[in-house]
Amino acid sequence: MSIEDRAPSAPPAAPEHHTTTRQPATGQWRYDLATERWWWSPETYRMHGFEPHEVVPTTDLVLAHKHPADRERFRRILEIAKVTGDPFHSVHRIMNALGHERVVVLVGQGRRDPETGTVVELMGYFIDATAPVAQRAEVMAGDHIRTSAAHRGVIEQAKGVLSVTHGLTIDEAFELLRATSNKHNVPVRDLASRLINLGHILPLDEHRRHCIDEFLRNPR
């Protein structure tokens, strides 16, 4: 029986939903350790930028398509799996035949000869995680931008407080905040936030500047 004959049947299709979210492409693979032959499902070929059966998948081809920065790590995972047969996974990048970088998740496990107990085959799935990773990166970038904007807003308010109480320019107020931050090892945004809170509770009289000076001398 050939490795193609033992190819797993396709997993059942997920129910259709009226949504614009696409499920990540999933492909199957098998690797016969005795013959060094690989079997890929059509989805796995396409993930690597090929039409089904356009090339003969080999270990050298599999490794050649790994991103150079991820190749040796994947090689080690594969070598360990060939010995232990334990379930394994790898998240790494591939460069497909079209020159596109893809992020894939590979999961697999070994199959042992029932008589000798030797690992004779590895098998599993490729999951194209490129779109989900890109979407997550976009969300994280948006969160970072919003957080940065919030931090800038707090700092701008604190600069305004110092400008009013000390008669400083905006640049001078920021330099005072930065110098205090460096001296006491307190992040500028934390210092600014606490200064704003202090400004809210201080009376609008001649003691306001004195209290802020005391805070800047010892902001902890």
Side-chain angles (χ1 to χ4, degrees), residues 16 26 32 72 110 112 120 126 160 189 208 210 218:
E16 290 188 7
T26 300
D32 188 311
E72 287 306 313
R112 295 181 179 274
V120 295
F126 272 107
R189 63 178 178 273
R208 186 182 177 98
H210 172 74
N218 185 21

Side-chain angles (χ1 to χ4, degrees), residues 44-131:
T44 302
Y45 275 102
R46 294 190 178 101
M47 221 175 285
H48 285 78
F50 299 108
E51 287 302 311
H53 310 296
E54 182 180 347
V55 296
V56 176
T58 65
T59 302
D60 286 343
L61 180 71
V62 169
L63 291 173
H65 279 283
K66 304 305 177 190
H67 190 283
D70 298 337
R71 187 174 298 143
E72 287 306 313
R73 177 171 58 84
F74 177 80
R75 190 198 303 272
R76 289 194 298 271
I77 291 172
L78 190 63
E79 290 301 319
I80 292 172
K82 288 164 65 175
V83 175
T84 68
D86 293 337
F88 61 95
H89 76 280
S90 174
V91 180
H92 55 269
R93 294 159 293 176
I94 64 173
M95 302 299 296
N96 71 19
L98 304 176
H100 301 151
E101 180 179 306
R102 315 295 297 173
V103 178
V104 300
V105 179
L106 178 141
V107 294
Q109 65 181 30
R111 182 178 69 83
R112 295 181 179 274
D113 184 291
E115 296 182 0
T116 66
T118 303
V119 181
V120 295
E121 186 178 57
L122 301 178
M123 66 193 78
Y125 296 90
F126 272 107
I127 303 167
D128 188 344
T130 307

